[in-house]
Amino acid sequence: MYSRFMSTSERLIESTRELLWERGYVGTSPKAILERAGAGQGSMYHHFKGKPDLALAAIRRTADEMRATAEGVLDGPGTPYERIEAYLTRERDVLRGCPIGRLTMDPEVIASDELREPVDETIDRIRERIAHLVEEGKEQGQFGAGLDGEAIAATVVATVQGGYVLARASGSPTAFDAGVRGLLSLLAPRPTD
Amino acid sequence: MYSRFMSTSERLIESTRELLWERGYVGTSPKAILERAGAGQGSMYHHFKGKPDLALAAIRRTADEMRATAEGVLDGPGTPYERIEAYLTRERDVLRGCPIGRLTMDPEVIASDELREPVDETIDRIRERIAHLVEEGKEQGQFGAGLDGEAIAATVVATVQGGYVLARASGSPTAFDAGVRGLLSLLAPRPTD
DNA sequence: GTCTATAAAACGATAGAC
DNA sequence: GTCTATCGTTTTATAGAC
């Protein structure tokens, strides 16, 4: 199911990451993880204390990966507007939803400070990075001085997260793209400014 | 647990609505529903074909209710901008999330056209209503002629849905409010326009 | 209509052989 | 380290008494 050169512990984490993305924490059973990883019960309980412990390892890895991807784009080339645009329009598997954002709808993730922490941390870091970009854009005169960086950043991240909701509701990525397009049209530096 | 004058069938639907909101479809067991409703197995299987059938009744009711609430605000008094503002700022139990939007993260809801239909329909109707309002605002000169009603509507609904994600990630409604504030600042009719 | 009894399977974990 | 066996509980339902 995975590379022959991946350790059992690695295969367990990767299986869990996939299942958490597809089905969330409450919808993912150890049995399903083990089947996908091609491992037995013993392996899982040898490497991890149980389902919450394995899930934590999986969530942390997904969070780190997403943070790196987002920051790669936000710290990339271009003006502040262009970098926010790049973040909003980067390729996404829209109908699969956000592997981190979807966890916020899971009651057991939200009930556990440990499981929620990497989710919160990731979203917060991206939000802070965008807020900083907006402030930079204001200094450069690209954005109106009246904009609040923190608020705009929340709008940007929320539009992405909510875009997944619209797309999955309709079964098509169209609404996600429309939401992004609407936000970019509101955010765009206007020649008249 | 509910009014003595509520029928068993009603109590089952209401219990299911609450649990779907709190835990989603995969996280809600018939047993939990029955306990909350104060009913036995037999009652549930007498009134409903099974879990999916009961969930459908519950989802339909929540969808109808949400549609009515949203349209009540969007069709209320005020200019197009004011009505969109009223929609965005209406009182919400932010940390509980959206009882309809959260269902889009549930694999079994998304896998079932029947369960997904009321979710899709509700979000789509609200989006259409907002798109129409934006077009009205354009005709009245309140919004720039360059805005695309459908796109802005998607942004508005996505900001709300994504705002729930940010709020639940951080455990505080602050980020929801910030996202709404950011969007309103971008959308606000400017005297200079 | 509502209840309890029963059931096969899945859940999450432990024990212990290899 | 990995496996299978076992465990007690929960899940989703059916059967049948009342």
Side-chain angles (χ1 to χ4, degrees):
Chain A
M1 206 122 211
Y2 294 103
S3 159
R4 219 175 318 154
F5 307 110
M6 208 182 275
S7 68
T8 300
S9 150
E10 277 299 305
R11 290 196 328 267
L12 286 168
I13 292 177
E14 290 303 313
S15 300
T16 305
R17 295 215 299 153
E18 291 175 7
L19 283 163
L20 287 179
W21 194 355
E22 290 168 25
R23 306 189 44 86
Y25 183 86
V26 297
T28 296
S29 69
K31 191 191 177 196
I33 293 169
L34 296 172
E35 274 169 9
R36 192 172 292 216
Q41 295 263 88
S43 295
M44 170 177 151
Y45 286 100
H46 171 75
H47 292 287
F48 303 95
K49 276 176 272 180
K51 179 182 167 181
D53 189 41
L54 174 51
L56 182 58
I59 291 173
R60 282 193 174 140
R61 183 172 298 181
T62 299
D64 288 345
E65 203 177 276
M66 162 149 303
R67 212 151 38 198
T69 301
E71 290 179 350
V73 174
L74 292 170
D75 294 341
T79 65
Y81 173 82
E82 284 166 350
R83 290 198 248 168
I84 291 172
E85 182 183 30
Y87 170 73
L88 284 166
T89 58
R90 79 170 173 84
E91 208 184 312
R92 285 179 170 90
D93 210 339
V94 171
L95 287 182
R96 293 182 73 186
C98 173
I100 291 300
R102 73 110 52 236
L103 296 174
T104 64
M105 294 303 138
D106 200 299
E108 304 200 11
V109 171
I110 292 306
S112 157
D113 283 342
E114 217 178 4
L115 292 180
R116 187 173 56 80
E117 193 269 338
V119 175
D120 184 19
E121 164 93 354
T122 299
I123 294 179
D124 203 56
R125 287 260 300 259
I126 295 172
R127 199 149 45 83
E128 283 307 310
R129 193 68 200 81
I130 295 173
H132 191 241
L133 270 179
V134 172
E135 295 300 334
E136 277 180 22
K138 281 164 64 178
E139 286 169 22
Q140 298 172 17
Q142 197 175 20
F143 294 134
L147 294 192
D148 175 344
E150 297 279 348
I152 299 298
T155 307
V156 169
V157 178
T159 297
V160 168
Q161 291 297 325
Y164 287 119
V165 172
L166 303 196
R168 285 173 63 89
S170 62
S172 151
T174 306
F176 182 100
D177 296 334
V180 165
R181 190 156 39 83
L183 179 58
L184 285 174
S185 74
L186 294 173
L187 210 53
R190 286 189 266 178
T192 56
D193 275 357
Chain B
M1 205 118 209
Y2 294 104
S3 160
R4 219 172 321 152
F5 307 109
M6 208 182 273
S7 69
T8 301
S9 150
E10 277 299 305
R11 292 197 323 272
L12 286 168
I13 293 176
E14 290 302 314
S15 301
T16 306
R17 295 216 299 153
E18 292 174 8
L19 284 163
L20 287 180
W21 193 355
E22 291 167 24
R23 307 188 43 86
Y25 184 87
V26 297
T28 296
S29 69
K31 191 191 178 196
I33 293 169
L34 296 172
E35 274 169 9
R36 191 172 291 216
Q41 294 264 88
S43 294
M44 171 175 150
Y45 286 101
H46 172 74
H47 293 287
F48 304 95
K49 276 175 272 179
K51 179 182 168 182
D53 189 41
L54 174 50
L56 181 58
I59 292 173
R60 282 193 174 141
R61 184 171 297 182
T62 299
D64 288 345
E65 205 176 274
M66 162 149 302
R67 211 151 39 196
T69 301
E71 289 178 351
V73 175
L74 292 170
D75 295 341
T79 64
Y81 173 81
E82 285 165 350
R83 290 198 249 167
I84 291 172
E85 181 182 29
Y87 170 74
L88 284 166
T89 59
R90 79 170 173 84
E91 210 186 309
R92 286 180 169 89
D93 212 338
V94 171
L95 287 182
R96 292 183 72 188
C98 173
I100 291 300
R102 72 109 54 236
L103 296 174
T104 63
M105 293 303 136
D106 200 298
E108 304 200 10
V109 171
I110 292 307
S112 157
D113 283 342
E114 218 177 4
L115 293 180
R116 187 172 57 80
E117 192 269 339
V119 174
D120 183 20
E121 164 92 356
T122 299
I123 294 178
D124 202 56
R125 288 262 300 259
I126 295 173
R127 199 149 47 82
E128 282 307 309
R129 193 68 200 80
I130 294 173
H132 191 241
L133 270 179
V134 172
E135 295 299 335
E136 277 180 23
K138 280 165 63 178
E139 284 169 21
Q140 298 173 18
Q142 197 175 19
F143 294 134
L147 294 192
D148 175 344
E150 296 280 347
I152 299 299
T155 307
V156 169
V157 177
T159 297
V160 169
Q161 292 297 325
Y164 287 118
V165 172
L166 304 195
R168 285 173 64 89
S170 63
S172 152
T174 306
F176 182 100
D177 296 335
V180 165
R181 190 157 38 82
L183 179 59
L184 284 173
S185 74
L186 294 174
L187 209 52
R190 287 189 266 178
T192 54
D193 274 355

